């Protein structure tokens, strides 16, 4: 993509002292990326973040010498020429945060199969072929189609299909299809519901080109954006919530933050949950009944239940290939059930396996010497607030016990334990019900017109994983790409 706007200076006139060219609500990666490009273009930009640190889902926290990534735990799309690498280079983030890559990036573990996802696509294909000899040719074709196709070709072929349609086009073996469906944990929907296009992009940008990690933790990645933004003249206010977006005659006038302070700006970019942006921050009086009905009907992605463990043991001599592990105790794994289980009122989480990540195995700075950080995660939902308050501790114990089948003596090695439920994820980011990836990436909902970045209110833009760009919605690379595009739209409209 041509980088035409990067050195153009927008030249707004007559700003009052506390007035901004643009205000960004939320310092998630979408908001931060957009802010960097706008500030670089010479605009006076203010970002207001309710949390006390920038990053949204891309943050870390520290406990007793351990560093834990709160939600997002690795990056994709960072190959030379990849979408996130372009942004990283254009913003000069290489001087601020080092990116490391681990190999294998993921291992899928079933009693009868162990599949390694490697940084070399051919090695991944060979590993799958070893396990599923009858599907060898189809495996090669499937991966090469996703990896080598032009985006336009993927779009035309996959736009209206589900991932199940795509798997059925290539494969017969049920277990192989289930294994390939495991990675949909990174998008939050089962094969029969998720868009084939969004899944193909997830495969390309996160599974095949995955396994990247910012040295010192995910917070370091967000901090790099925030620092760059400030160096280019941007201002960030942390720990303040935007309560209202002020609109007059269908045009944005500014925002009101906690404490009733009005800050004027003709451009407001919301990086927050889209439902909240429209129904609370803007207010129903500016919306049509049809729009309110539509936004209330959209399906959102699920949330997660996470157990963060600081261990007083280093597993490097006991366990090989510590990276992102997808662990299952049974071969009869039904990937559809993983997600349909989330709608059970009494058990709104997945029981058929779990994801386990070992960040300190590739970045020793995250744990004291001879110690280790592990994160256990299952998809989950909020069906009833009390459920999580009442059950989170017993569920964490159960998950640790389950993990012990793969990580020996885990229960006895715990020095620090923290738990996040969907309520926690909501509290820190205000994403509705702690949704991990914005709207659910169904074929219908990923359509560009579902929730475009340019809204029907003049001067109001959306950025991040609640914005539809015709591709999938969630993930750091996707929201950064969205942030860059929104900045481009704004600077173009001003010129
Ligand atoms: C458990 C989990 C694991 C994940 N793992 C990965 C992964 O490994 N790799 C990956 O690429 N993606 C991953 N994702 C998805 C990815 O993290 C998100 O899609 C992405 O970070 C969303 O970025 P965003 O900019 O859209 O918004 P967010 O990160 O949601 O940030 C929005 C920001 O807006 C702020 N805000 C909201 N309302 C207001 C308000 N009224 N006033 C002021 N501030 C406000 C919030 O506090 C927040 O900081 C994961 C997500 C989850 C939940």
């Amino acid at each position: 993509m041509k980088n035409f706007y990067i050195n153009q200076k927008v030249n707004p006139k007559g700003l009052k002292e506390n007035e901004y060219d643009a205000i960004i609500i939320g310092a998630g990666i979408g908001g931060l990326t957009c802010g960097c490009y706008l500030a670089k273009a010479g605009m006076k930009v203010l970002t207001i973040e309710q949390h006390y640190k920038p990053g949204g889902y891309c943050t870390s926290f520290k406990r007793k010498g351990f560093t834990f990534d709160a939600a997002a735990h690795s990056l994709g799309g960072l190959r030379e020429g990849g979408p996130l690498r372009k942004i990283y280079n254009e913003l000069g983030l290489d001087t601020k945060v080092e990116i490391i890559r681990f190999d294998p990036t993921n291992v899928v573990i079933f009693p009868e199969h162990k599949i390694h996802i490697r940084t070399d696509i051919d090695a991944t294909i060979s590993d799958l072929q070893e396990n599923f000899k009858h599907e060898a040719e189809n495996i090669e074709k499937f991966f090469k189609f996703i990896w080598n196709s032009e985006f336009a070709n993927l779009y035309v072929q996959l736009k209206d299909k589900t991932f199940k349609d795509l798997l059925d086009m290539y494969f017969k073996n049920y277990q192989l299809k289930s294994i390939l469906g495991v990675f949909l944990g990174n998008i939050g929907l089962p094969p029969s519901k998720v868009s084939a296009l969004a899944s193909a992009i997830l495969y390309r940008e996160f599974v095949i080109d995955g396994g990247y990690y910012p040295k010192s933790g995910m917070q370091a990645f967000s901090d790099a954006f925030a620092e760059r933004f400030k160096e280019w003249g941007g201002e960030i206010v942390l720990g303040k919530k935007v309560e209202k977006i002020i609109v007059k005659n269908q045009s944005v006038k500014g925002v009101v933050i906690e404490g009733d302070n009005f800050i004027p700006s003709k451009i407001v970019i919301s990086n927050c949950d889209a439902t909240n942006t429209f129904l609370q921050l803007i207010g129903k009086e500016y919306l049509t009944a049809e729009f309110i009905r539509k936004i209330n009907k959209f399906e959102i992605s699920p949330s997660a239940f996470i157990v963060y463990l600081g261990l007083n043991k280093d597993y490097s001599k006991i366990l090989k290939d510590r990276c992102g592990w997808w662990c299952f105790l049974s071969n009869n794994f039904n990937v559809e059930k993983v997600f349909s289980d989330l709608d059970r009122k009494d058990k709104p989480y997945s029981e058929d396996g779990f994801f386990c990540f070992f960040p300190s195995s590739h970045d020793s700075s995250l744990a004291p010497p001879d110690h280790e950080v592990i994160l256990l995660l299952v998809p989950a939902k909020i069906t009833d607030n009390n459920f999580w308050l009442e059950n989170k501790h017993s569920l964490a114990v159960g998950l640790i016990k389950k993990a012990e089948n793969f990580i020996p003596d885990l229960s006895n090695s715990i020095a620090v334990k923290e738990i996040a439920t969907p309520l926690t994820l909501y509290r820190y980011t205000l994403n509705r019900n702690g949704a991990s990836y914005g709207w659910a990436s169904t074929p219908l909902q990923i359509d560009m017109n579902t929730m475009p970045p340019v809204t029907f209110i003049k001067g109001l833009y959306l950025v991040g994983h609640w914005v539809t760009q015709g591709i999938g919605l969630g993930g750091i690379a996707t929201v950064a790409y969205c942030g860059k595009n929104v900045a481009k739209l704004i600077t173009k409209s001003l010129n």
Side-chain angles (χ1 to χ4, degrees), residues 25-31 48-51 55-58 71-74 206 240-242 271-272 276 281 304 306 377 425 428-431 436-437 464-465 474-477 479:
I25 311 173
I29 292 293
I48 305 166
E49 166 57 50
Q50 58 110 23
H51 194 355
Y57 277 147
C58 187
H73 43 270
S74 70
F206 196 68
K240 286 273 179 215
K241 194 163 153 189
V242 170
N271 184 208
C272 340
N276 185 43
L281 300 184
I306 311 170
L377 187 153
L425 295 176
Y428 282 109
T429 65
L430 303 183
N431 281 295
S436 296
Y437 312 103
H465 66 183
I476 305 289
V479 300

Side-chain angles (χ1 to χ4, degrees), residues 48-239:
I48 305 166
E49 166 57 50
Q50 58 110 23
H51 194 355
Y52 59 84
K53 50 175 92 169
Y57 277 147
C58 187
T59 50
S60 314
F61 62 92
K62 290 185 197 287
R63 295 283 184 281
K64 297 184 182 165
F66 295 94
T67 302
F68 300 101
D69 296 322
H73 43 270
S74 70
L75 300 168
L78 272 156
R79 65 189 173 284
E80 223 29 73
L84 192 54
R85 176 67 63 178
K86 279 191 193 161
I87 291 168
Y88 178 78
N89 289 344
E90 284 168 5
L91 300 181
L93 299 183
D94 52 330
T95 58
K96 300 208 167 282
V97 57
E98 185 191 339
I99 304 290
I100 48 187
R101 196 173 188 198
F102 44 98
D103 187 15
T105 61
N106 288 274
V107 186
V108 185
I109 308 171
F110 283 87
E112 280 178 14
H113 295 284
K114 200 168 189 182
I115 311 290
H116 298 80
I117 304 296
R118 302 234 171 237
T119 54
D120 171 6
I121 184 173
D122 292 323
T124 303
I125 292 171
S126 299
D127 202 2
L128 276 160
Q129 288 174 327
E130 271 299 302
N131 280 271
F132 297 96
K133 295 201 167 60
H134 288 102
E135 297 269 27
E137 209 176 305
N138 299 332
I139 290 168
E140 167 106 22
K141 282 188 188 152
F142 172 80
F143 274 87
K144 292 293 158 85
F145 166 66
I146 287 178
W147 189 238
N148 294 334
S149 296
E150 292 288 331
F151 175 74
N153 184 29
L154 284 182
Y155 188 83
V156 170
Q157 293 207 41
L158 302 181
K159 187 184 170 300
D160 300 320
K161 293 195 168 59
T162 64
F163 191 56
K164 179 176 183 307
D165 297 332
L166 179 62
L167 290 175
D168 289 344
M169 272 159 57
Y170 281 88
F171 306 111
K172 291 204 170 57
N173 187 291
Y174 173 82
Q175 237 179 11
L176 172 59
K177 289 195 251 187
S178 297
I179 286 174
L180 294 172
V182 161
F183 298 105
L184 300 182
N186 292 310
I187 204 166
L189 285 184
S192 64
K193 281 185 77 177
V194 70
S195 148
L197 180 62
S199 313
I201 289 167
L202 172 83
Y203 254 82
R204 185 191 275 202
E205 303 301 345
F206 196 68
V207 179
I208 300 172
D209 189 35
Y212 299 94
Y213 191 77
K215 199 151 182 2
S216 307
M218 299 301 284
Q219 186 68 54
F221 196 64
S222 298
D223 288 348
F225 281 86
E227 278 171 30
R228 186 55 91 219
F229 175 61
K230 286 192 267 183
E231 281 163 11
W232 285 338
E235 292 169 51
I236 301 190
V237 173
L238 295 174

